[in-house]
Amino acid sequence: MAKHHQETIEEVIKELGSSSNEGLSGAKAKERIEQYGLNELTEKNRRSAWKILLSQLKSVMVIILIVASVITAFVGELRDTIVILAIVALNTILGFTQEYRAEKAMAALKKMSVPRVKVRRDGKIVEINSTEIVPGDIVILEAGNIVPADMRLIEATNLKIQESALTGESEAVEKTTKPIEEENPSLGDRKNMAYSGTVVTYGRGVGIVTATGMETELGKIAAMLQDTAETQTPLQKNIDQLGKILALIALGIVGVIFVMGLLRGEDLELMFMTAVSFAVAAVPEGLPTVVTIALALGAQRMLKKNALVRKLMAVETLGSVTVICSDKTGTITENRMKVTVVEMAGRTLDFGKENEPDPEALPEDDNKSFEIMLTAAALCNDAEIKPPVHKKQQADVIGDPTEGALVYAAYRVGIEKSDLEQAMPRILEIPFDSERKRMTTIHEIKSNPKGKIPADVPEHLRENAVDQYVAFTKGAVDSLVEVCDRVLEGDEIHELDDDWKRRIIETNNNLAANGMRVLGVAFRPVNSAEVEDKKVEEKNLIFTGIFGMMDPAREGVKESIMTAREAGIRPIMITGDHPLTAGYIAESLTIVDDKSNVKMGREIENLTEEELDRVTAETSVYARVAPEHKLKIVDSLQRQGNVVAMTGDGVNDAPALKQADIGIAMGITGTDVTKEVADMVLIDDNFTTIVSAIREGRTIFDNIHKFIRYILASNFGEIWIMLLGPFFGISLPLAPLQILWLNLVTDGVPALALAVEPPEKDIMKRPPNPTKEHVLANGRWNVILIGLLLSAFSLGVGLVYWMNDINGPWRTMLFSTLVFSQLFFALSVRSRTKSIFNAPFKENPYLMYAVLASFGLQLAVIYVPFMQGLFTTQALGVWDLLLSLALGSAILWIYEIKKLVTRKRQ
Ligand code: ATP
């Protein structure tokens, strides 16, 4: 059997049981999903619930505890064994449920970033998830798409595909539809095939799917690709390091305690248990888990605000962003274009009014150029109009908003694209790209069977045009004028001399200076030789006129820009649009004070690094920018120490997004390629969403710092007590099981609750988080000191009770005071500067529940006889309990005073 690339289009379609016009039927597609499975690569590395559970049990702490429980069982201390195992179980359940939730959240986020694909089904074009594609599906490919499955091409218009994912070749390959004779050409030579995972960089095409999922060429090598381990975020690495250092220190101290105890003649078994509990107390085992959870849940919260995080790292980096480089169209503006002005050779037609514009009002000769203009605008255009079902409804446009506005403008004056297309079908095209900033289509002017030119062809084109061709071009006026040599005025064609050029550019600038997006149109007759050779060039065009479109700024963007500024973040606008349009919008949104302070893409093209750095340090608006300029700008900003967030939507934006610290893709208008490389996707394309995501990122960073400080200070409190106790004569201030309890129960629960603290009020009034800052950069000594404070009150009260009555509840006092201190500390650590009396608990009820739950558990340990037995506690009298609580609260008052001083200083 011939291979797909050897067969003709008809053969392939027949073999796969499909139809090029109809596509598959819904029923057949369903059948095939059953037969071939979903179109996705099976992931080997997905962490199943089992794996997560196992990873909990694999942690050093749990292993130590399990070994300890075995040993205690051997020496006959069954009571200890049970308590240790119960604590391990409790801890594992807590860790597991949290991490499972985090994993689920991330998996859900991953699912959301599955690309959507246009396919033909039941004769209609529909959009489906790429996972639902089956062999035989007819798929539409456009520039920016990632090819969703392997397919034989059945249509290719200037189609270029970059196949480096498979072949390593970075140059895009021009595709065709002709069969290839050779039986086994290399993948790169199969020019009539498109392979899953490769990228459409230019043009458009249609293909019939030949293989999906693991059957694709990409699937065959997927096993190799899957070994890339998920990289840790800087914070996670930092914490891992910290954990290792602490573990080493702990090991040393444990050794000392153990040996010292033995020398003092303590019981070997007791010393063993103490050493074990001490190790557990000192190693902040829970930290990495809590950090991962905080990041993953943060990502989930960001999703609610329309920011889809694709890489966990982004959650953390967002808090450090110092510059946001944003596109204009659609991100800062609404991208709901409307043609408001039509300019032809000095005559203006106001399109802005609610009433239908009246071309009849134009002088007769202008009428012709007007007709050509709108015909060109509608035909050189990939948007379509969906006529209203009811007369009173407005017509909808489908496609790019700029193009939609033009088709709609034509529709308003009774020129319908669908009729035009019958009379002048498109036969060739040179697609739009953001380098040329133009687009051209070539049309055949059909004569109808009676030899007459259809009425829909504008008069000017009809004269002597039987079986002729015409090219329509639209694009940025400055770039369009470069390829024009004549201009149409009414029904006369003049040479495009300097005077005309000046007039055109002036008109263009006038519109742009008022914030309008401006587009020019031109045309020229094309002869059949050019068409046959498929060599129609964009040259010698006849300039016809200019459209001015209004694209208002999005609501809330101005406020977001001010918020960003207050937060020490510099907003920068980078756009392909005209400098005057860009300047006007930037000034109205306070991105710049002076709208003329705009740099053009080409102005930064040939600068040296130093020169460029000087420019980027001062410029906040760039216009007429091509994608490669974006990369230069990011590079330069990063060289100056900035953490750059950058948006992008086009095919060629991918390198700049990759280079940026936070690459941001557009959810609505963005291409698959940009979404694939992005760290974050804006589901609503909105600039405001970036600022909300940064706020969320800062909050998470803040909260991580809070619980790290809480956990470490609490751990140090226990370490101090165990170290200092013997100096005062108390050889074992805390019983081993008490340490375990403290560490794994009363500490752990509030720490988790701290991870969901709401943002502090001034969170967007501080400068960005320094990136390279170690988790404990300013607070390394703090935690040790706070630990000392925590221990001082509990050890002190224990000591006094101990001296009073060595058989009394001294240890229970010490134990409880430490637990209470930690709980009060959890409340204090909520804010660095704000008094806890100003931070209502309804903002974070979880913390209140956690503290109350821990408090209740502690009471149970003190008063429930069964628990007393396990934890060697005695019931405290009311006054003792109150004293313990009062001493426990001391840390809170000290912290409040410190905050007061900080506030006063500020
Ligand atoms: P941003 O980068 O802020 O999204 P943009 O959408 O204006 O800005 P591009 O898409 O690169 O950037 O467009 C650049 C210029 O190309 C536009 O100002 C316009 O003049 C022209 N242009 C845009 N879309 C088309 C199109 N479909 N056909 C022809 N010309 C176009």
Side-chain angles (χ1 to χ4, degrees), residues 423 445-457 462 465-467:
I445 302 177
K446 280 227 163 141
S447 56
N448 64 18
K450 287 183 198 124
K452 277 174 82 186
I453 309 269
D456 286 306
V457 174
R462 264 197 274 171
V466 179
D467 275 331

Side-chain angles (χ1 to χ4, degrees), residues 481 484-487 494-498 500-501 504 543:
V481 168
C484 290
D485 62 359
R486 285 161 292 165
V487 55
H494 310 285
E495 188 198 337
L496 185 71
D497 56 16
D498 287 345
W500 269 109
K501 274 191 192 159
I504 291 172
F543 193 89

Side-chain angles (χ1 to χ4, degrees), residues 26 36 66 89 118 126 142 200 205 214 231 251 291 367 374 419-420 513 559 651 674 677 692 699 703 868 905:
Y36 296 98
I66 291 178
K118 279 189 201 151
V126 289
E142 287 163 359
V200 182
M214 293 305 279
T231 45
L251 212 68
V291 171
N367 216 321
L374 287 165
D419 297 339
L420 286 174
E559 290 75 14
V651 201
T674 47
V677 300
S692 328
T699 309
N703 289 348
Q868 285 174 341
R905 233 188 265 156

Side-chain angles (χ1 to χ4, degrees), residues 79 451 522 860:
R79 185 195 70 169

Side-chain angles (χ1 to χ4, degrees), residues 59 61 91 99 239 280 283-293 707 711 715 743-744 752:
S59 81
M61 178 195 73
N91 217 253
E99 214 165 306
I239 283 172
V280 173
V283 181
E285 279 279 345
L287 268 190
T289 316
V290 193
V291 171
T292 312
I293 292 164
F707 65 68
I711 289 185
N715 283 7
N743 233 269
L744 303 178
L752 276 178

Side-chain angles (χ1 to χ4, degrees), residues 287-337:
L287 268 190
T289 316
V290 193
V291 171
T292 312
I293 292 164
L295 292 174
L297 296 187
Q300 217 178 20
R301 270 204 307 280
M302 286 185 185
L303 181 61
K304 288 206 187 108
K305 304 203 163 130
N306 285 327
L308 170 67
V309 170
R310 293 190 68 253
K311 297 178 189 149
L312 210 48
M313 182 103 76
V315 179
E316 186 181 318
T317 316
L318 272 168
S320 308
V321 166
T322 60
V323 183
I324 308 174
C325 297
S326 172
D327 283 340
K328 172 179 73 70
T329 313
T331 315
I332 285 177
T333 64
E334 287 196 358
N335 208 6
R336 262 194 303 168
M337 302 286 171

Side-chain angles (χ1 to χ4, degrees), residues 722-776:
M722 294 300 284
L723 278 181
L724 295 179
F727 286 101
F728 295 101
I730 307 184
S731 56
L732 267 181
L734 288 166
L737 290 183
Q738 291 177 343
I739 299 184
L740 290 184
W741 175 256
L742 262 166
N743 233 269
L744 303 178
V745 183
T746 52
D747 260 23
V749 183
L752 276 178
L754 279 172
V756 292
E757 269 291 306
E760 288 186 34
K761 278 220 177 63
D762 66 341
I763 194 120
M764 290 305 266
K765 302 213 154 64
R766 305 180 204 153
N769 300 324
T771 29
K772 304 223 164 54
E773 186 175 279
H774 192 275
V775 217
L776 282 176

